[in-house]
Amino acid sequence: MVKKSSALNIISFCDSHIHTRLCGHATGEMEEYVQAAIRKKLKKIIFLEHMEEGICSVQGKTWLSEDDFDGYFSEGLRLRSKYEDEIVIGLGVECGYNPDCSDLLLTRLAGRRWDQIGISCHFLKIDGMPHHLNMFSRKEVSVQLARLIGAEKILDRYFTDLTEAVRFLPGTMLCHLDAALRFLPEVSLSESHYVLIDTLLQAVSDNALAIEINSSGFAIRQEQFPNRRILRMAKSYDIPFVFGSDAHKPDEVGRYFDIIDALLLSEFCP
Ligand SMILES: [Zn+2]
Ligand SMILES: [Zn+2]
């Protein structure tokens, strides 16, 4: 058992990034995620369901409509009161940025009271193509298309779009910063990407967002998103960290949090 400092203790007992079957690519009812979190002795969870706008995806809809969000809030509030003696339950949103629909996203975000607004960018418009590229998909069609376009070019746009999103949307945390193209194992970040990431982190700091340490990376590349170098850069800006599992199944809630605790202790509290 790793000895934790009190500051780290607080964040690692909250999982701030949990999906549910409502997004169409996860399994499990909201209540099953709550029960899993209680079994793992978490003190708090925040559901962070997908909002996208104006995206045309070959995989179909993998996000919530406004009607879906109505159901999400009504079930979430029921669970919040049912389990209030055991766990704190927050209701948030993972807002995928689309520069072509930024005003509409702003309007939708303003329409509800969110406990966390995560900023992401999952899709990219490709000139001459009817569908957006899903930069986070493991599907062969997406991976091949990404290789065809070129990883360098895609990541340039990804980091630039994220910076615009952080400046424009009322986000509270930036999700899985370096997870785009995560299913192209040959891809690594160049020094020019790190320059873009530095600009992005400056925007995160200026707008008082936190950086998510997303533990789903351990299942894909044996390291959290983002990598240690980016975490060190974020720390130099004094940006706070938030933990998220990106659970898409109830038993993924709080996954690998013990490893991240140990990493943070060795990296930042030696
Ligand atoms: Zn995401
Ligand atoms: Zn997510």
Side-chain angles (χ1 to χ4, degrees):
M1 186 67 187
V2 177
K3 190 174 173 293
K4 302 180 178 80
S5 74
S6 57
L8 294 174
N9 216 355
I10 292 166
I11 51 175
S12 65
F13 279 95
C14 174
D15 185 340
S16 296
H17 191 154
I18 293 177
H19 293 280
T20 73
R21 67 166 184 81
L22 292 169
C23 67
H25 61 285
T27 56
E29 301 296 332
M30 291 176 86
E31 188 154 10
E32 295 175 79
Y33 287 86
V34 172
Q35 289 166 345
I38 293 169
R39 279 197 301 277
K40 293 198 174 173
K41 306 205 181 328
L42 294 179
K43 302 279 181 253
K44 181 176 178 180
I45 56 168
I46 302 181
F47 287 103
L48 206 74
E49 270 295 24
H50 287 291
M51 176 186 288
E52 300 281 350
E53 193 56 61
I55 300 298
C56 186
S57 165
V58 279
Q59 277 111 37
K61 173 176 160 294
T62 52
W63 50 84
L64 278 68
S65 65
E66 283 302 309
D67 282 350
D68 294 330
F69 273 118
D70 287 343
Y72 170 75
F73 269 85
S74 108
E75 176 64 355
L77 294 174
R78 182 187 77 82
L79 295 171
R80 180 183 289 173
S81 103
K82 178 173 174 182
Y83 291 97
E84 66 183 348
D85 294 337
E86 295 169 85
I87 193 164
V88 176
I89 299 173
L91 295 166
V93 59
E94 180 177 4
C95 179
Y97 190 58
N98 176 358
D100 297 330
C101 296
S102 50
D103 285 328
L104 201 43
L105 286 169
L106 206 55
T107 305
R108 290 183 66 188
L109 289 175
R112 300 180 195 267
R113 279 188 56 165
W114 309 100
D115 295 312
Q116 182 90 267
I117 298 179
I119 302 292
S120 303
C121 181
H122 300 109
F123 295 95
L124 216 54
K125 178 94 187 90
I126 308 298
D127 284 343
M129 292 203 58
H131 294 103
H132 287 77
L133 167 70
N134 184 344
M135 294 178 283
F136 285 70
S137 172
R138 68 171 79 228
K139 294 219 159 60
E140 200 50 29
V141 58
S142 303
V143 169
Q144 290 306 340
L145 178 59
R147 288 194 174 118
L148 196 69
I149 297 163
E152 181 87 17
K153 206 161 115 187
I154 292 170
L155 291 176
D156 281 353
R157 279 186 55 197
Y158 170 72
F159 292 122
T160 307
D161 282 358
L162 271 186
T163 302
E164 186 178 301
V166 164
R167 288 182 179 141
F168 187 74
L169 298 174
T172 56
M173 110 177 161
L174 179 60
C175 299
H176 49 58
L177 190 153
D178 65 348
L181 304 186
R182 59 192 171 173
F183 294 112
L184 278 71
E186 71 275 20
V187 170
S188 63
L189 298 174
S190 67
E191 286 309 310
S192 72
H193 291 137
Y194 279 105
V195 173
L196 295 175
I197 290 169
D198 189 62
T199 306
L200 170 58
L201 291 173
Q202 179 71 65
V204 167
S205 171
D206 290 347
N207 291 278
L209 275 75
I211 287 284
E212 178 194 29
I213 300 183
N214 185 304
S215 63
S216 73
F218 283 100
I220 298 165
R221 65 176 195 189
Q222 289 76 54
E223 186 179 28
Q224 73 291 328
F225 301 121
N227 68 31
R228 281 182 191 220
R229 177 170 170 182
I230 298 170
L231 289 181
R232 283 197 293 268
M233 290 164 73
K235 200 68 195 161
S236 74
Y237 281 105
D238 265 336
I239 296 169
F241 297 138
V242 170
F243 284 23
S245 68
D246 218 338
H248 283 69
K249 296 178 192 147
D251 66 6
E252 291 176 347
V253 171
R255 58 181 158 169
Y256 307 112
F257 277 17
D258 52 343
I259 301 176
I260 296 175
D261 267 348
L263 163 81
L264 290 181
L265 280 174
S266 67
E267 200 61 52
F268 301 114
C269 309

mmCIF file of all heavy atoms in Angstrom, residues 17 19 48 50 94 122 176 246 248, ligand 2:
data_model
loop_
_atom_site.group_PDB
_atom_site.id
_atom_site.type_symbol
_atom_site.label_atom_id
_atom_site.label_comp_id
_atom_site.label_asym_id
_atom_site.label_seq_id
_atom_site.Cartn_x
_atom_site.Cartn_y
_atom_site.Cartn_z
ATOM 1 N N HIS A 17 -14.427 10.591 -14.453
ATOM 2 C CA HIS A 17 -14.673 10.366 -15.884
ATOM 3 C C HIS A 17 -15.283 8.975 -16.080
ATOM 4 O O HIS A 17 -14.569 7.990 -16.271
ATOM 5 C CB HIS A 17 -13.357 10.504 -16.651
ATOM 6 C CG HIS A 17 -13.512 10.557 -18.137
ATOM 7 N ND1 HIS A 17 -12.594 11.189 -18.948
ATOM 8 C CD2 HIS A 17 -14.459 10.057 -18.972
ATOM 9 C CE1 HIS A 17 -12.960 11.078 -20.217
ATOM 10 N NE2 HIS A 17 -14.086 10.379 -20.258
ATOM 11 N N HIS A 19 -18.454 6.787 -18.082
ATOM 12 C CA HIS A 19 -19.529 6.720 -19.090
ATOM 13 C C HIS A 19 -20.590 5.710 -18.657
ATOM 14 O O HIS A 19 -20.449 5.041 -17.628
ATOM 15 C CB HIS A 19 -18.928 6.347 -20.452
ATOM 16 C CG HIS A 19 -18.033 7.434 -20.988
ATOM 17 N ND1 HIS A 19 -18.525 8.551 -21.614
ATOM 18 C CD2 HIS A 19 -16.677 7.591 -20.959
ATOM 19 C CE1 HIS A 19 -17.510 9.342 -21.955
ATOM 20 N NE2 HIS A 19 -16.385 8.788 -21.564
ATOM 21 N N LEU A 48 -19.416 11.406 -16.820
ATOM 22 C CA LEU A 48 -18.938 12.399 -17.791
ATOM 23 C C LEU A 48 -19.343 11.906 -19.180
ATOM 24 O O LEU A 48 -18.536 11.315 -19.898
ATOM 25 C CB LEU A 48 -17.417 12.541 -17.677
ATOM 26 C CG LEU A 48 -16.836 13.884 -18.112
ATOM 27 C CD1 LEU A 48 -17.135 14.970 -17.085
ATOM 28 C CD2 LEU A 48 -15.331 13.786 -18.329
ATOM 29 N N HIS A 50 -20.863 11.809 -23.126
ATOM 30 C CA HIS A 50 -20.452 12.454 -24.384
ATOM 31 C C HIS A 50 -21.489 13.413 -24.944
ATOM 32 O O HIS A 50 -22.652 13.048 -25.153
ATOM 33 C CB HIS A 50 -20.223 11.386 -25.448
ATOM 34 C CG HIS A 50 -18.985 10.574 -25.252
ATOM 35 N ND1 HIS A 50 -17.723 11.085 -25.394
ATOM 36 C CD2 HIS A 50 -18.817 9.261 -24.924
ATOM 37 C CE1 HIS A 50 -16.830 10.129 -25.166
ATOM 38 N NE2 HIS A 50 -17.475 9.016 -24.878
ATOM 39 N N GLU A 94 -18.633 15.285 -21.142
ATOM 40 C CA GLU A 94 -17.385 15.306 -21.912
ATOM 41 C C GLU A 94 -17.741 15.920 -23.257
ATOM 42 O O GLU A 94 -18.338 15.271 -24.119
ATOM 43 C CB GLU A 94 -16.813 13.890 -22.085
ATOM 44 C CG GLU A 94 -15.508 13.910 -22.879
ATOM 45 C CD GLU A 94 -14.848 12.534 -23.035
ATOM 46 O OE1 GLU A 94 -15.434 11.518 -22.596
ATOM 47 O OE2 GLU A 94 -13.756 12.489 -23.605
ATOM 48 N N HIS A 122 -12.602 14.499 -30.319
ATOM 49 C CA HIS A 122 -12.510 13.115 -30.797
ATOM 50 C C HIS A 122 -12.507 13.009 -32.313
ATOM 51 O O HIS A 122 -11.995 12.052 -32.869
ATOM 52 C CB HIS A 122 -13.695 12.296 -30.271
ATOM 53 C CG HIS A 122 -13.783 12.215 -28.781
ATOM 54 N ND1 HIS A 122 -14.743 12.865 -28.049
ATOM 55 C CD2 HIS A 122 -13.005 11.568 -27.879
ATOM 56 C CE1 HIS A 122 -14.566 12.612 -26.769
ATOM 57 N NE2 HIS A 122 -13.521 11.838 -26.631
ATOM 58 N N HIS A 176 -7.804 13.456 -21.308
ATOM 59 C CA HIS A 176 -6.867 12.579 -22.051
ATOM 60 C C HIS A 176 -6.070 13.298 -23.141
ATOM 61 O O HIS A 176 -6.177 12.973 -24.333
ATOM 62 C CB HIS A 176 -7.595 11.363 -22.621
ATOM 63 C CG HIS A 176 -8.883 11.599 -23.383
ATOM 64 N ND1 HIS A 176 -8.949 12.406 -24.495
ATOM 65 C CD2 HIS A 176 -10.137 11.121 -23.198
ATOM 66 C CE1 HIS A 176 -10.185 12.397 -24.968
ATOM 67 N NE2 HIS A 176 -10.931 11.629 -24.187
ATOM 68 N N ASP A 246 -12.209 6.842 -17.335
ATOM 69 C CA ASP A 246 -12.856 6.697 -18.644
ATOM 70 C C ASP A 246 -13.550 5.341 -18.730
ATOM 71 O O ASP A 246 -13.533 4.689 -19.791
ATOM 72 C CB ASP A 246 -11.816 6.838 -19.772
ATOM 73 C CG ASP A 246 -12.361 7.593 -20.965
ATOM 74 O OD1 ASP A 246 -13.589 7.637 -21.127
ATOM 75 O OD2 ASP A 246 -11.551 8.128 -21.747
ATOM 76 N N HIS A 248 -15.921 2.443 -19.373
ATOM 77 C CA HIS A 248 -17.022 2.130 -20.288
ATOM 78 C C HIS A 248 -17.683 0.816 -19.880
ATOM 79 O O HIS A 248 -18.559 0.313 -20.576
ATOM 80 C CB HIS A 248 -16.525 2.056 -21.739
ATOM 81 C CG HIS A 248 -16.281 3.411 -22.372
ATOM 82 N ND1 HIS A 248 -15.263 4.245 -21.973
ATOM 83 C CD2 HIS A 248 -16.952 4.079 -23.355
ATOM 84 C CE1 HIS A 248 -15.308 5.372 -22.699
ATOM 85 N NE2 HIS A 248 -16.321 5.295 -23.541
HETATM 86 ZN ZN ZN B 2 -14.569 9.478 -22.111
#
